[in-house]
Every structure is written in structure tokens, then in C-alpha cells.
């Protein structure tokens, strides 16, 4: 079964970096994922698509502060130079045969 | 500018029906696959349904199969979701989302429409 696992919360200070993790279920370690940001009271926004080799493609207008990387079944989103507007929920997404799956989301707090 | 604008949400009775719509603009709608996703209050995102650009291929999450029907009108750049036999657990914000043309992930989202199921 295709499942994505995310930690519920993360926090870091203004100007610091934070690294979020999305873990693919067993047998799916080569799957690509996408990261989405959802600021409070807004619809989600696509950030980037991340491949198993760590290569990634960002959406239009996504700042350089957002980057992705991969290791085995883990997919990471790193936000550098944290800004107050980065306080949001972050979801990873993947897809299989006739199915699309989201992780449970990570709430990022900027201290 | 790509825009997806959902409408049709509101208060509905358990057992009733609702039809949601998503108006697309700023891109060639007929060339893109589309999806519906929902988010219950305080919860995460849940994919509901997919429709191919022509409408020939349709998929549903097991949780909504048999009660939800997705459709599209390429002439009018619109995407619909018919929800029947409404349940309290259908209470959520419903989003339409575009699938990236050369991949499977969602590259644009609407702002959502709120559906509340309550007597």
C-alpha cells in the first residue's frame, strides 16, 4: 500500500533553516513526490517535484530558499532563511496506478 | 494567469446532494487532467477523484466511490463534482487541482469551497 509519512510538526527560528521529511512506504522507495505549501486559510500551493535521485523542479515563482533532496525512501524539503510567511502546513504527494496520495502534513512554526 | 475558482458549496442536509463546480481560466483547460481534493476541518488533504483531459478516464478514491461523480465541460472550461447521499463526514473544503501536463503531480490549486453537512 502506497503511504506517505510526515512528522506532525517542526519549528525553527526566523532566518534559520528547517528540513522536513516525507517517507515512502516499503516497496515504493523510487517514487517521485511533490511538495505543497498551505498557508493559514488558503488553498495549497505547489512548491516542487522531487525525484528519487534528488533532482527537483520548482513551481513558478518559488523562492530559491526552497529546495529538495532524497535519500532512499526519504524525501526532504529544506527551507532556508526562514521567513514569517513560511509558517504553514507542508504536504507531500505521490501517485500510483489510478491513485494519488498525500502525507498527513507537517506544521512549520517560525519562532 | 492560471485561475481555478470553486463554487457550489454551502450547508446541506444529510442524505442530500450537492454539485460543486470549478471554473478554469488562464490556460488551455481541455489539454489538462484535473482532480478534486478535500480537507476536513483541522485535517490533511485527501485526494477524491481524477478525470483525464478528454473525460474518457476517471478514477475515484475508495472512500467516495459510488457516491461522487466527476465530470468536465471543455467547451465551458469547467469541472464538476456531484456528491450524493451526503454524510456528516463529507464536511470539508473541496479543492479542484490541475495535474501538471507532463507528470502526475498537481501544479495549480483553487481556493476551495466549503461544504457543511448538518441537519
Amino acid at each position: 500500500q502506497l503511504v506517505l509519512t510526515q512528522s506532525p510538526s517542526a519549528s525553527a527560528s526566523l532566518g534559520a533553516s528547517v528540513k522536513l521529511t516525507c517517507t515512502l512506504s516499503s516497496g515504493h522507495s523510487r517514487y517521485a513526490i511533490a511538495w505543497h505549501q498551505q498557508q493559514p486559510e488558503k488553498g495549497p500551493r505547489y512548491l516542487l517535484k522531487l525525484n528519487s535521485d534528488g533532482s527537483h523542479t520548482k513551481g513558478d515563482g518559488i523562492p530559491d530558499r526552497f529546495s529538495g533532496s532524497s535519500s532512499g525512501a526519504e524525501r526532504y524539503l529544506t527551507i532556508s532563511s526562514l521567513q514569517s510567511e513560511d509558517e504553514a502546513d507542508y504536504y507531500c504527494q505521490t501517485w500510483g496506478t489510478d491513485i494519488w496520495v498525500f502525507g498527513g502534513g507537517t506544521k512549520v512554526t517560525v519562532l | 494567469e492560471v485561475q481555478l475558482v470553486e463554487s457550489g458549496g454551502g450547508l446541506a442536509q444529510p442524505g442530500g446532494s450537492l454539485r460543486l463546480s470549478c471554473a478554469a481560466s488562464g490556460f488551455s483547460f481541455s489539454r489538462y487532467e484535473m482532480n478534486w481534493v478535500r480537507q476536513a476541518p483541522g485535517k490533511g488533504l485527501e485526494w477524491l477523484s481524477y478525470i483525464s483531459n478528454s473525460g474518457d478516464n476517471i478514477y475515484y478514491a475508495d472512500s467516495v466511490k459510488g457516491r461522487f461523480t466527476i465530470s468536465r465541460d471543455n467547451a465551458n472550461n469547467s469541472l464538476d463534482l456531484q456528491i450524493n447521499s451526503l454524510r456528516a463526514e463529507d464536511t470539508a473544503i473541496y479543492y479542484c487541482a490541475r495535474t501538471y501536463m507532463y507528470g502526475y503531480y498537481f501544479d495549480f490549486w483553487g481556493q476551495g469551497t466549503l461544504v457543511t453537512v448538518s441537519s
Side-chain angles (χ1 to χ4, degrees), chain A:
Chain A
Q1 189 181 2
L2 184 53
V3 175
L4 296 173
T5 302
Q6 298 182 250
S7 297
S9 63
S11 62
S13 300
L14 193 67
S17 294
V18 66
K19 189 174 185 179
L20 310 183
T21 303
C22 174
T23 304
L24 287 149
S25 48
S26 177
H28 302 101
S29 63
R30 297 187 64 81
Y31 279 45
I33 70 155
W35 283 102
H36 303 274
Q37 176 195 61
Q38 187 177 31
Q39 294 172 321
E41 308 305 318
K42 290 191 173 182
R45 175 195 185 194
Y46 164 67
L47 293 177
L48 58 88
K49 180 216 178 185
L50 176 59
N51 297 315
S52 59
D53 63 359
S55 60
H56 55 278
T57 306
K58 285 197 279 192
D60 292 342
I62 302 303
D64 291 342
R65 304 184 290 102
F66 291 87
S67 63
S69 58
S70 297
S71 177
E74 299 198 322
R75 306 286 179 265
Y76 306 106
L77 175 69
T78 299
I79 312 171
S80 306
S81 303
L82 265 173
Q83 307 294 306
S84 56
E85 61 264 30
D86 299 332
E87 187 157 289
D89 295 323
Y90 292 82
Y91 293 92
C92 54
Q93 175 204 6
T94 194
W95 46 92
T97 303
D98 309 340
I99 188 171
W100 284 258
V101 175
F102 290 94
T106 297
K107 183 177 184 61
V108 170
T109 301
V110 179
L111 303 172

Side-chain angles (χ1 to χ4, degrees), chain B residues 5-23:
Chain B
V5 179
E6 301 91 340
S7 61
L11 178 63
Q13 301 261 355
S17 297
L18 213 54
R19 190 173 188 89
L20 308 181
S21 293
C22 171

Side-chain angles (χ1 to χ4, degrees), chain A residues 34 36 38 41-46 49 57 91 93 95 98-104, chain B residues 35 37 39 43-47 50 59-60 95 99 104-111:
Chain A
H36 303 274
Q38 187 177 31
E41 308 305 318
K42 290 191 173 182
R45 175 195 185 194
Y46 164 67
K49 180 216 178 185
T57 306
Y91 293 92
Q93 175 204 6
W95 46 92
D98 309 340
I99 188 171
W100 284 258
V101 175
F102 290 94
Chain B
N35 303 266
V37 176
Q39 185 171 36
K43 302 297 185 183
L45 301 172
E46 178 189 16
W47 170 76
Y50 156 98
Y59 308 119
Y60 298 99
Y95 298 99
T99 301
Y104 299 93
Y105 57 91
F106 304 161
D107 67 345
F108 275 101
W109 298 74
Q111 289 302 298

